[in-house]
Amino acid sequence: MTQLTITERSPEPARPEPRPRRGPSIADRIRNMGEQRTGALLLVLATLVAIVWANISATSYHDFWETELTIGFGDIHLEFTLHALVNDALMAIFFFTVGLEVRREFAIGELTSWSRAMIPVMAAIAGLLVPAGLFLAIAAGSGSEHAWGVVISTDTAFLVGALALIGPRASGRLRVFLLALAVVDDIGALSIIALFYTENFTPLPLVVAAVGLAGIYFTRYLRRGRGPIYATLSIIVWLAFLASGVHPTLAGVAIALLIPVYRPNRRDVEQALELARVFRQSPNTEYARQAANSLRESISINERLQSAYSPYVAYVILPLFALANAGVEISGPILAAAVQSPVTWAIIVGLVVGKFVGVFGAAAIMKVFKLGEFGLGLTLDRIAGGAMLCGIGFTISLFIIDLAIDDPGVQNEARVGVLAASVLAFILAAIVFRISDARRPDDDGGRTLVRAVDPKRDHIYGDVNAPLTIVEYGDFQCPFCLKASGSIEEVRRELGDRLRYVWRHAPLERQHPNALAAAEAAEAANLQGRLPEFSRSLFADQDHQLPSDIIRRARELGLDVERFEEDLSSPKVTERVRDDMLDAEAMDITSVPTFFINGVRHVGPYDARTLIRALTGSEPDRADAQPAPRADA
């Protein structure tokens, strides 16, 4: 049985220890940056190297990437240049990971709920149309109107990395919005590549590709040996796309959309844990293999592949792509030509102005007309900064330049436009975010409740119209929350109908490994109207909150277990818990329990006497109160 580590005190943020005189090493700094930031940094470095290389020796740069390669045996062989190998083969892996993310978002992510998804979806569509329209208007008569696809796509890797570098405080909901937008943006960009930038189309190989894709779909039903089959069929599909004239990178997307994705089944997780215990008791090769296979199979292949490929994409493939495609010759004549080129200006205006107007304009219209569901913290000023960041169009923009423009001189002008637009978008976004943060009180520090109590949404105990309010952000696996629950009961007995108590989730996953699962289980129980009893049972036995314990608890309380298990994996439950967690992030809640008394953060002891004095010592602001029936009482 997995034992929890019980701490002696609430995990408040530790006081920083005196720093040693010697600072962290470069390796430590890189590790602390995270994959997204490090990947964005490598992209920038590769871009700078390509520019420097191309300007020191343009001949060697172009000759190197045009080096011929032959892959095959006997009479069967493929001939590639290094440039084509990067753009056609390695980038297929990049688009494969993009497709995996698209599949996941539609299956179990942000795009499963239309009320939430419609905001980034509409913003992304406007962010595709407006830049293309501006490009066509400015580039009209230049002979390069066909290159309008250069301005349609936001670079997801740079977007996430830049948000991490210059984004606003507590940017959780903005990050979710931009990631969902980027997914839809990628779908649009890939569709446009397939429809408008495919030449020499030959339909017969696509029949082979269709058979291979069907095989990939049905491979999920095999009990073992799926990995080699997936790999073999994927290569066949990629070769078929290559032979058809459809750009082979799209094979990566098609394959990814057929890879199954699901949330971990709790019974599978429990079985994996049981096999791990068996191996611990009797370590041998067979038990090790069974335990490893069971652990691996409890996670969907979609997520396993994302985890496996994302480091290679971030650290190898995208930097190589930048190195092979960003070699812009920057000289006086070239810059002079770029400044006078309608293509350069069409790209700059399309990416910087078009993306901002499209994304921000669509979001503002939906906000004004109250269309869709905007999470708290997703304000228009922050959306403005995110919309400006969407003007960073690097990877797919450079990719389409190679497909849409034949003239090397015009290609150079277009690349200058992409690089200039990306730098300008980054700088303007940083300014917008700084202004946005400056408009917010610097000294608030999460002292006030960011989301007013909503009787239609919140778990409220007591009269929903009561004049006094306690909102607790807590964790079912935290022993201090258990102690606080006794104080809350005493306060409720003392104040009676004058008090409404609100519970919100803030599971500390690092300290309490089963806290998130417990929170989702409580929400699943709430869908059957049994939240109070289920919450009490979670607090009563904090050492037993493994998947089997949660199912057993549901059975003991008389819940419909089959429905309960289905709800545990539903997006509705996941989103409900994640909303509370994003609120907690916005208010810098790093320890639990955290109380808000009449909308103001409570600091200090949380015994019953102290809470009662805090509640009755000031009159609350009841602007958020609305008549509603009693809920969860």
Side-chain angles (χ1 to χ4, degrees), residues 192-278:
I192 287 167
I193 291 172
L195 294 173
F196 296 97
Y197 297 107
T198 294
E199 298 179 355
N200 303 320
F201 177 63
T202 304
L204 184 59
L206 287 184
V207 176
V208 177
V211 173
L213 290 171
I216 288 171
Y217 176 82
F218 288 108
T219 298
R220 70 183 67 190
Y221 298 109
L222 298 178
R223 296 186 61 85
R224 60 180 59 190
R226 288 175 298 197
I229 295 175
Y230 274 130
T232 302
L233 291 175
S234 296
I235 293 172
I236 292 172
V237 170
W238 181 84
L239 290 172
F241 269 74
L242 182 66
S244 73
V246 176
H247 205 278
T249 53
L250 298 179
V253 181
I255 294 165
L257 294 178
L258 296 174
I259 299 296
V261 58
Y262 48 82
R263 298 193 67 214
N265 182 286
R266 294 172 192 273
R267 293 183 185 277
D268 292 340
V269 174
E270 190 71 15
Q271 181 184 11
L273 290 173
E274 184 60 35
L275 287 170
R277 294 190 195 102
V278 171

Side-chain angles (χ1 to χ4, degrees), residues 448-463:
T448 57
L449 196 64
V450 299
R451 176 164 47 82
V453 175
D454 181 358
K456 295 180 180 179
R457 176 197 181 280
D458 276 310
H459 302 311
I460 301 176
Y461 298 79
D463 188 341

